Each structure stands twice: as C-alpha cells, then as structure tokens.
Amino acid sequence: PRSMLARRLARPLTTLARHVMTKAVVVNAGRLDFDGKLDFSRLHEACGAPVTRHDDHTPSPETIAAYAVGHATLVTKEVPVDVNALPDSVRLICEAGTGFNNINLEDARKRGITVCNVPAYSTDAVAQLVMTYVLNFSASQHLQQTKLARGDRSLFHGDEVNGTSAFEAFGTLPHFELAGKTIGLIGGTGAIGAATARLARAFGMDVLVWSRSAKDCESGTWRAARDLKHLLSESDFVSVHCPLTEHTKGLIDEHALATMKRTAFLINTARGALVNETHLIDALESKTIAGAGLDVTDPEPPLEGSPLYRLDNVVLTPHIGWKRLETRQRLMDAVAANVEAYLAGKPVNVVS
Amino acid sequence: RRLVRPLASFVRHNMTKACVVNAGRLDFDGKIDFCMLELVCGTPVTKHEHHSPTPSEIAQFAQGHTTLVTKEVPIDVTLLPDSITLICEAGTGYNNIDLTEATKRGITVCNVPAYSTDAVAQLVMTQVLNFSCSMHLQIHANANGDQTLFHGSNPFKSFGQLAHFELGGKTIGLIGGSGTIGLKTGKLARAFGMNVLVWSRSAKDCGDGKYKAASDLKELLNNSDFVSIHCPLNTATAGLLNKQTLGWMKPTAFLINTARGAVIDEDDLIAVLKNKTIAGAAMDVQHPEPPTVSSPLFELNNVIVTPHIGWKRVETRQRLVNAVAENVRAFLAGAPVNVVNS
C-alpha cells in the first residue's frame, strides 16, 4: 500500500482542508481481519490519525469499554457493546456489518452517540453462498462428500456387504436439475434477496417472494406469494432474507417446517434466531424436510453437542457469508467512508 | 396415449424390436419412463437390468432384435447378429463403438449430442462455487466431527487458512468451450460476474464481449482462476492436461473435468496436486472410471471426486431416453438424425 503521505498528496485539495480528525479503535480486528489480508489504509486516511487495532475476535463489553478510553470512534464487528459503559469520548460507533442488533440504539441516542452500519457490502457474496447450497443440494454433494470423507466409496465401487452396485447406491440420492424448481425468498425484496433471485433465474428457477413490501414484479423476475404458507408449500428451496426483529424471531417454526415440501431444503444466511432451532432439528431428524444449509445459528457457533453437527442432511458453515476477502475489504472501505461522511458533517448509514 | 398422438404416427408401417442392454445404468433408480421409446418402437422393448454387460453378453442380448440401445459400455460390433440395423448410444460420447466396423456392416449409429447441457453446466458451477468458499473442505471436516472452525482456539484464524473469495472478476477458462455445454457454462459464469476465456480450434472472439478467445492453451491456462474441460476425447485431446500444461496454471487455480477422464494425464495430475502446483481439482470423470480402490484421488485434500454424475439427474436421463426414442423414430421414418457414422 502506498504511504499515507503519498495518498494524502494524491487526494483532492479540499480534503487537505479538513480540520476534523478522529481517534479510532477497531475493537476486534481479529474477527474482521482474521487472515491479515485487509488493507486498513482508507480507514487510516479517513481518521486522519493512526487507528488503534486490537486483535481480539470477541472482546467482552467490559474489554470494549476499556479499549474505547481515549478514542472518539469505535469500529466493531458483531459483538455486544454495552453503550452505557463507554467513556464520554466516544461519539461514533461504526458497526462493520449490516446487522446492528448487538448495539442498544436507545442508549446510544441518549448519550448522543451516532451509530452507523454498512447496509450492503455482502450482497454478491451471500447470494453466491445461497446458490452454493442450492446447487450442492440439487446434486447431493453434501451426502456424497460426507460419505467420501468417512471412507465410504460405495457410490464408486458398490457395496459388497449389501450386494448393491454403485448405480443402485446412487439411486437413493436426490439428484435433479434446477430448471423449473422454485426458490422461495422470505423477505426477499432487499439487495441480497434480489441478487439471489437474479442468480436463481440464471439457472432457470422460478422465484417466489414473500415480504410485507412485496408486489408482483412486472418484469417477471419473481412472483409475490400470497402469504408465508403459500411460499412454504410451493418452494423446493426456502431461503431466509429478512432482518431479525421481535416480529421475525422464530418465524420458521414447526408449523412452517411442516408446511414445506418433504423434498424441500431450508437455507439460512440471515440470522440464526429467525429459525426455531429445536423445531428445525426435529424436522430434520424426522425428515419432514429434506435438508438445511445454515450459515447462521442461535447460538453461534452451535453448542458443541448440537445435533446440527452430526445430522447428514445439514450443511453447517461458521457464518462465512461476509468472510470472503473482497467482501471484507469492501466492508472496511465502507466503514472508512462512513467515518469520512460523519467527520464532514453529513453522516450516512445512520441507524441510531 | 396412442389416441392422443397426431394421426400421422398411425400411418407408420415400420416397427423395431429394440433392446436396452444396460437399463441398470440408464435407469438405476427406476424413475425413468420408457413409454416414448415403447410407442416409437411399436413393440415392447426388452430391458436388461445390467449396468455393465460385457461385449459378448451384449451380442447375446442383441439376438432377435433390430435396434440396440446402449449407454457407455464397449460394444464389439463384429459379434452382433445381422438383425441389428441401428445402435443408439444413450449419451453424447460414442468412443466405445467402432464406427468403421458399424459402417461396414450397414449399421447406423446415433448419439444424443445435447441432453445434459444444463445439468453439466450446473455441475461445473457447483464445484466453482464450492472451491470459492472451500465448502468441500468444510463438509469434509464436519463429516469427521472436526469442529475446529466452530470451537477451536481461534476459529477465525483457522478459517483464514481456507480459500474464500468472491467470483466477481475471476476468470474461468473453458477448454474446447465453444460447444453447447461450454457456452451454457460460460453464460452461468457470467451471471456470477466472472470473465470467460475460451480456447478451441473454432473459437473466435465473441463480438459482444461475452467471452474472449485465448490464442492458445498456454494463454488460457496462465490467465484462468478456474479451468474447465469441455472437449471430446480423441487422439488430439488425450493427455492434453499433463505435467507441462498443468504447470502453466496459476497455483491458486482449480481444474474441473466433466468431459472425459483421459483428457488429463491422471498420474501427472496427482503429482501436481500433491506439489500444490494447482490449488485443487473437481473430477466427475476419471481414467479409469471409477478410480481404482487405491487411487490417490480419494485421499488428496483438495480434490472433489464424483462418480460421473453429470448425466445422472432424473430430468437429464428422462430427456436422454426421450431423445433416443426420437432418434429411433427418425430412423424408422427414413430420415435419421444424430448419425455419427456415415
């Protein structure tokens, strides 16, 4: 990366006139920059002063408050922040992410602290992850790769014990083309839902959307479901794309799961608590639905003994939707842009 | 069903006694509907539940039949009875049938050139996506109860060891990619924001920028993040990917083969994977197929191997069987289609 001085000289003259700087601290760079590959230079520039970095990934609220001493801007990713414990110096909290449910906005408002988020940085990454699950399920890759990982090669060499050929063994696995299959997007009218819809259609899928704000899209990109029940009963894949609120918590419960087709798959890349996990585990064990792809869970990660780790029809990933390198760099740069805008007196992406 | 069909089909005089020599391969799950074939043949179709009959078994099955339907098994044409006038390969590749011999005996050989287009393109994208988020490695770890990425001493740092990138701006190089499957794969790749590079004897730069033609194999291999094979197996393409050419790939690149195993020199590939000359490979086809019990392909860390599933989806196989029926119909009507020998 070019030196800070060179970059400052390269920027338009107006920014040199900026008087405002901010002492910023990244409280959990160990989460955001877990591979050390991110470039923080835009954030350094935006702040006009060196940025403090802590390599923790999950600091406690007390630790965060301690880190905040002497700083005016907090950059945090997906860790609970006790706003009331923060020193008075803090004026700005930048959540390096889209969900901000871990920051009490009421408390922030009371203390005059501005809270910003980054509403759209993982759009393509998450849409790609949804399609990865969809494609894997359509070709039973989760089942096939699990067998191979355990040394079971019956799909290649047959099973001598049972006297089945490799072809017969394969015949027990679902294996279908995507064209004409339906993906139902719950709350799918946001950026990620729309990107997912576009990709699904590239594979010839039909897209059904249920959202309080959905209207039938005239271009035919998707159809609006009459209600959640309609979406669940018609979809071959159900993907969750809504924020976690008191209204959406536990939205996917035993009734919802029972309404899904037995051959259908559930995909959650949004927030774990949107799904009632106990009910989901029951549904998976009883084969009420065919499988689930979960990038988010509640809690996260799942407890060590959770059945989610051992169920064959579950694909579990450790909240990777935002972790791609380009995604995190875009995120860092967006946080820097939020800081710039705030310092210029025209804050953007304010959620408080 | 007969009543529903247009009147013209009643006027057909020709029938054919057909034999499916390995329905156990084509219809391994019993879900395929053969009624179109039965209708076209005009008499019941003999079906054998074998998946890999020998050439002599096939010759025996052929007794008393005029049409053979076969899938991916070697046929000894010299052993077939004189009654056989048509061989329908239920698939695209027909390297298992001696065309010269068939022509000598006046036997027409048909294939089904395009039935698995969507299915194979989807499989290529499945593995591209899997490599882009190391999903295969994660499934592997979960399968063995390895929870390091969830509960290790530093799950974030552990995850940092795995390749994990967006597809936008990455390049997929399609070898021989100007056929139907290559073009469909390119189209899907572009939907993900990828650049598409094609090398093929017939590739030209696509005017509207949909893909770029590489001037030679080296250029394609040097510049691709994913290399996918889409050419038929013949004397020119056997062993095309070998120690030398694999060395032209980026060390971060992944190889995908859904075409024919022997296009890659498998021993060279195994060596290259062990050395980490390339980042990984997804092989739906191998040489031999299936791989031997002791094949390193099953043990290597960054290999995704599948038992030639590209054609196995239920819709794909149904489309295939219906296309075979159509080949038979055209032959009986005196205007054969999809003939691969002359």
Side-chain angles (χ1 to χ4, degrees):
Chain A
R2 297 155 71 192
S3 72
M4 231 172 82
L5 179 60
R7 290 179 87 108
R8 288 210 93 166
L9 289 171
R11 297 200 89 193
L13 212 58
T14 47
T15 66
L16 290 172
R18 178 160 43 81
H19 305 292
V20 196
M21 302 193 309
T22 184
K23 192 90 185 79
V25 56
V26 180
V27 306
N28 58 344
R31 181 180 290 244
L32 196 39
D33 188 24
F34 52 80
D35 55 3
K37 291 181 179 168
L38 294 188
D39 182 350
F40 279 67
S41 56
R42 210 177 145 184
L43 184 62
H44 287 301
E45 258 180 73
C47 294
V51 173
T52 312
R53 267 182 69 135
H54 291 280
D55 285 326
D56 309 54
H57 56 77
T58 313
S60 66
E62 297 78 44
T63 306
I64 291 173
Y67 287 165
V69 173
H71 294 84
T73 294
L74 236 61
V75 177
T76 163
K77 172 141 195 83
E78 272 172 50
V79 276
V81 178
D82 182 352
V83 176
N84 292 327
L86 297 175
D88 291 334
S89 56
V90 176
R91 305 279 78 229
L92 174 65
I93 300 176
C94 284
E95 171 66 40
T98 306
F100 45 87
N101 45 297
N102 44 301
I103 302 172
N104 189 317
L105 300 184
E106 186 59 37
D107 290 346
R109 275 191 284 268
K110 274 196 213 143
R111 297 196 59 186
I113 297 174
T114 304
V115 181
C116 296
N117 78 335
V118 183
Y121 71 101
S122 65
T123 307
D124 283 353
V126 176
Q128 280 170 33
L129 183 59
V130 174
M131 287 314 298
T132 305
Y133 289 125
V134 169
L135 284 163
N136 276 330
F137 285 135
S138 79
S140 291
Q141 284 302 283
H142 57 309
L143 299 174
Q144 291 187 43
Q145 299 311 318
T146 294
K147 281 181 195 284
L148 282 182
R150 293 177 180 159
D152 173 355
R153 297 177 192 169
S154 55
L155 295 176
F156 291 82
H157 302 131
D159 184 347
E160 271 172 28
V161 171
N162 295 334
T164 45
S165 72
F167 291 93
E168 284 165 324
F170 193 83
T172 61
L173 304 181
H175 195 46
F176 53 89
E177 289 181 4
L178 289 183
K181 297 292 188 288
T182 299
I183 182 165
L185 307 176
I186 298 182
T189 49
I192 298 176
T196 306
R198 209 176 38 80
L199 289 177
R201 286 191 60 73
F203 287 89
M205 298 184 81
D206 288 335
V207 180
L208 201 50
V209 169
W210 178 68
S211 155
R212 273 167 302 179
S213 55
K215 300 179 287 288
D216 240 274
C217 185
E218 274 158 25
S219 69
T221 308
W222 65 58
R223 286 182 302 134
R226 291 184 298 276
D227 48 34
L228 182 58
K229 191 170 180 201
H230 171 205
L231 181 147
L232 294 170
S233 57
E234 252 193 53
S235 299
D236 301 292
F237 297 88
V238 174
S239 183
V240 186
H241 292 275
C242 47
L244 177 62
T245 66
E246 53 186 6
H247 301 295
T248 59
K249 190 173 155 88
L251 183 66
I252 308 296
D253 60 7
E254 57 191 341
H255 302 294
L257 293 161
T259 311
M260 282 173 65
K261 295 184 186 180
R262 292 191 78 90
T263 51
F265 299 88
L266 175 70
I267 295 166
N268 189 4
T269 55
R271 281 291 179 268
L274 289 160
V275 174
N276 180 317
E277 216 156 88
T278 313
H279 292 179
L280 175 63
I281 289 166
D282 284 342
L284 290 164
E285 281 176 337
S286 61
K287 303 213 192 302
T288 302
I289 64 172
L294 306 175
D295 192 41
V296 289
T297 50
D298 185 34
E300 208 169 286
L303 300 176
E304 281 189 44
S306 170
L308 293 177
Y309 290 113
R310 61 163 173 75
L311 284 165
D312 282 349
N313 48 2
V314 171
V315 180
L316 196 61
T317 47
H319 202 164
I320 67 176
W322 61 275
K323 285 181 178 167
R324 298 178 208 249
L325 181 57
E326 302 86 351
T327 321
R328 285 179 294 128
Q329 189 60 58
R330 186 179 303 118
L331 175 59
M332 279 309 305
D333 293 344
V335 166
N338 279 350
V339 172
E340 273 167 25
Y342 174 83
L343 292 178
K346 295 183 200 149
V348 295
N349 298 325
V350 177
V351 295
S352 53
Chain B
R1 291 178 85 114
R2 286 212 93 165
L3 288 170
V4 162
R5 294 203 92 194
L7 210 58
S9 68
F10 283 104
V11 184
R12 182 166 38 81
H13 304 290
N14 289 322
M15 299 195 310
T16 184
K17 191 91 187 86
C19 169
V20 181
V21 307
N22 58 346
R25 182 181 290 245
L26 197 37
D27 187 23
F28 52 80
D29 54 1
K31 289 182 181 167
I32 300 306
D33 185 345
F34 282 79
C35 74
M36 250 190 87
L37 184 62
E38 311 243 323
L39 257 166
V40 157
C41 291
T43 73
V45 171
T46 312
K47 292 196 311 214
H48 292 277
E49 294 313 313
H50 298 65
H51 55 78
S52 308
T54 62
S56 32
E57 279 173 323
I58 291 173
Q60 256 192 307
F61 292 164
Q63 298 289 337
H65 293 83
T66 46
T67 292
L68 234 57
V69 176
T70 162
K71 173 142 194 80
E72 271 172 59
V73 276
I75 308 256
D76 184 344
V77 179
T78 62
L79 296 181
L80 295 177
D82 290 334
S83 54
I84 298 291
T85 54
L86 174 65
I87 299 175
C88 285
E89 172 66 37
T92 306
Y94 45 86
N95 45 299
N96 45 303
I97 302 172
D98 187 331
L99 298 185
T100 319
E101 200 52 52
T103 308
K104 252 197 241 163
R105 297 196 56 185
I107 298 174
T108 303
V109 181
C110 296
N111 78 336
V112 182
Y115 71 101
S116 65
T117 308
D118 281 359
V120 176
Q122 278 171 32
L123 182 59
V124 174
M125 286 316 300
T126 303
Q127 307 305 17
V128 167
L129 285 164
N130 279 332
F131 283 131
S132 81
C133 64
S134 296
M135 184 65 83
H136 56 307
L137 298 178
Q138 296 184 59
I139 292 177
H140 199 114
N142 289 344
N144 290 322
D146 175 353
Q147 293 184 13
T148 312
L149 294 177
F150 296 86
H151 291 288
S153 57
N154 191 334
F156 293 91
K157 228 176 173 154
S158 303
F159 191 80
Q161 316 280 338
L162 304 179
H164 196 47
F165 53 90
E166 289 180 3
L167 290 183
K170 297 292 187 291
T171 297
I172 184 164
L174 307 174
I175 297 180
S178 47
T180 16
I181 299 178
L183 287 177
K184 182 70 198 209
T185 304
K187 195 168 174 198
L188 289 176
R190 279 196 310 279
F192 287 88
M194 297 184 82
N195 298 319
V196 180
L197 198 53
V198 170
W199 177 66
S200 153
R201 274 165 302 178
S202 56
K204 301 178 283 293
D205 238 83
C206 189
D208 58 7
K210 286 205 176 116
Y211 60 77
K212 285 196 322 136
S215 47
D216 52 32
L217 181 60
K218 189 164 191 218
E219 187 193 320
L220 182 146
L221 295 173
N222 280 162
N223 291 294
S224 299
D225 301 294
F226 295 88
V227 175
S228 183
I229 300 177
H230 293 278
C231 52
L233 175 63
N234 51 45
T235 47
T237 62
L240 184 65
L241 278 306
N242 55 36
K243 189 164 169 208
Q244 182 193 32
T245 54
L246 290 167
W248 294 337
M249 283 176 64
K250 296 184 186 181
T252 50
F254 299 91
L255 178 64
I256 298 170
N257 191 4
T258 55
R260 281 291 177 270
V263 173
I264 302 178
D265 180 316
E266 213 159 90
D267 290 333
D268 284 357
L269 174 66
I270 286 164
V272 150
L273 286 164
K274 283 181 176 165
N275 287 341
K276 304 208 192 299
T277 303
I278 66 173
M283 317 272 288
D284 190 40
V285 289
Q286 309 91 22
H287 187 54
E289 209 169 288
T292 60
V293 170
S294 56
S295 170
L297 289 179
F298 290 119
E299 302 296 337
L300 285 165
N301 190 37
N302 229 356
V303 171
I304 306 176
V305 61
T306 45
H308 201 163
I309 67 176
W311 62 275
K312 285 181 177 167
R313 299 179 208 247
V314 65
E315 303 86 352
T316 321
R317 286 178 293 128
Q318 188 61 63
R319 185 179 303 117
L320 175 60
V321 168
N322 292 351
V324 166
E326 190 48 39
N327 281 350
V328 173
R329 192 201 57 76
F331 176 82
L332 292 178
V337 296
N338 299 323
V339 178
V340 295
N341 64 336
S342 31

